[in-house]
Amino acid sequence: VQLQASGGGLVQAGGSLRLSCPASRIITSVFTRSDKGWYRQTPGKQRELVALLTGDGTTNYADSVKGRFVISRDNAKKTVYLQMNSLTPEDTGVYYCNVNGQRVGGLDYWGQGTLVTVSS
């Protein structure tokens, strides 16, 4: 199962984007209890965790995005979202979604990335 992230694009600094990651092929019971995350990769750097939403609803954010990004999910639609506000050029990168169901009987699912470019 491969996820497909969408919603990236070119935006000016200060703007907003909302990324989506539907996971329709993951069974519902696994999706709802899985940890869900958004990662960002920029050239020359390792992929970094930007936002995490655990199966019990706890959220964690990278310091660089706290107060600006919000991760959420819609269990009925089996979709993970990342609302990104007050974007800066440093947010530029390829964003990947992840649904890690290994603790709840599933697999570690990754999406194809979506490119976010923030111009100054």
Side-chain angles (χ1 to χ4, degrees):
V1 175
Q2 190 170 39
L3 311 176
Q4 180 63 61
S6 64
L10 174 63
V11 64
Q12 288 188 330
S16 298
L17 285 174
R18 189 192 195 203
L19 306 184
S20 299
C21 184
S24 58
R25 299 185 68 180
I26 300 176
I27 63 173
T28 301
S29 61
V30 170
F31 178 84
T32 55
R33 295 179 294 142
S34 294
D35 294 341
K36 305 155 187 72
W38 286 94
Y39 291 74
R40 175 171 68 199
Q41 188 157 28
T42 54
K45 294 186 178 180
Q46 288 187 330
R47 190 175 296 186
E48 62 170 336
L49 177 64
V50 172
L52 177 68
L53 174 58
T54 66
D56 64 1
T58 303
T59 57
N60 283 289
Y61 297 93
D63 288 342
S64 61
V65 308
K66 281 181 181 176
R68 300 187 297 119
F69 289 13
V70 178
I71 185 172
S72 63
R73 87 294 198 201
D74 184 326
N75 288 333
K77 295 181 179 180
K78 288 188 287 187
T79 300
V80 188
Y81 302 98
L82 184 68
Q83 178 67 43
M84 306 187 295
N85 301 319
S86 302
L87 286 161
T88 73
E90 288 68 36
D91 296 317
T92 294
V94 178
Y95 285 72
Y96 298 87
C97 62
N98 170 249
V99 177
N100 190 343
Q102 291 177 314
R103 294 188 299 109
V104 293
L107 301 175
D108 192 18
Y109 309 95
W110 284 91
Q112 292 182 325
T114 185
L115 176 63
V116 172
T117 303
V118 184
S119 63
S120 58

